[in-house]
Amino acid sequence: YAPGESPREPFKIESITSEQFAAAKYDLQFFIRKVFVAGQPMVVGGAQKSMKTGVATDAMLSLGTGTPFLGEFYVPE
């Protein structure tokens, strides 16, 4: 810890049962409908030279302009 910094609480994982998981309602907010969920990690993966950078660039441009991602997926304004 840095001088004057207090120790942090240890990381804890709160688990639930599969029954609790199935009974719960999880509302998802999408940045790009059916593609990019708000507040969740996103990975763009694929083989070498498979247009990963182009797809990621199109996603960012779509988010910035409110135009459909890849001309197909709705982007909320």
Side-chain angles (χ1 to χ4, degrees):
Y1 303 106
E5 185 178 326
S6 61
R8 297 181 187 142
E9 289 288 321
F11 179 76
K12 294 181 183 178
I13 296 177
E14 295 181 23
S15 60
I16 62 173
T17 66
S18 57
E19 184 178 337
Q20 291 170 316
F21 179 77
K25 183 178 179 187
Y26 298 98
D27 292 323
L28 298 178
Q29 181 182 12
F30 287 90
F31 283 137
I32 300 174
R33 188 178 293 156
K34 296 185 180 181
V35 177
F36 194 175
V37 179
Q40 297 295 319
M42 180 177 169
V43 175
V44 179
Q48 186 176 7
K49 299 291 183 183
S50 62
M51 298 293 296
K52 296 180 296 288
T53 302
V55 169
T57 301
D58 187 54
M60 297 308 111
L61 287 171
S62 293
L63 287 169
T65 61
T67 57
F69 171 57
L70 297 177
E72 180 71 24
F73 297 96
Y74 174 74
V75 176
E77 293 181 19

